[in-house]
Amino acid sequence: MFTAYVIVTVVAIAANAGIAVADLARARFVLANSAEVDVPPSWLPGLAALKAAGAAGLLIGLLGVRPLGVAAAVGLVLFFVGAVAAHVRTRVWHNIAFPLGYLALNAAALLLAAGALSCRKA
């Protein structure tokens, strides 16, 4: 179980940090997707900061402060629930797999982090 926790969390850290960098760089695909779901470009730095903070929290959790890792995973899950909701609200279906993938990845990180936290307390 610990090995799965480490692998999934490392992948989640890389994915969330990578998309945060893409947001900050105002990558073409980020700007196009934001426009489709009615997210103003001025929100991108704040959204990037949330994703980067989540990735940092996952890393800190992986390094031993498990409650912070769980909290970061909860925040990322909620963030991507919002992203999926934005796609549903605007009926943008052609690329909804991306926020759903991030949601699934962060939900897996949350479940494994919570499991690692409960095993540590036992």
Side-chain angles (χ1 to χ4, degrees), residues 14-110:
N16 288 298
I19 198 63
V21 168
D23 286 357
L24 288 173
R26 295 182 178 266
R28 212 174 324 163
F29 77 93
V30 170
L31 293 172
N33 185 57
S34 326
E36 281 188 286
V37 296
D38 297 332
V39 171
S42 62
W43 289 17
L44 290 178
L47 297 176
L50 291 172
K51 294 171 193 173
L58 290 176
L59 177 60
I60 293 168
L62 193 59
L63 295 175
V65 186
R66 295 273 183 339
L68 183 60
V70 170
V74 167
L76 287 164
V77 165
L78 292 173
F79 181 95
F80 285 105
V81 164
V84 169
H87 279 257
V88 170
R89 179 182 54 82
T90 56
R91 294 185 170 94
V92 176
W93 309 113
H94 68 93
N95 60 359
I96 197 168
F98 290 101
L100 283 172
Y102 279 94
L103 175 59
L105 178 60
N106 288 301
L110 171 59

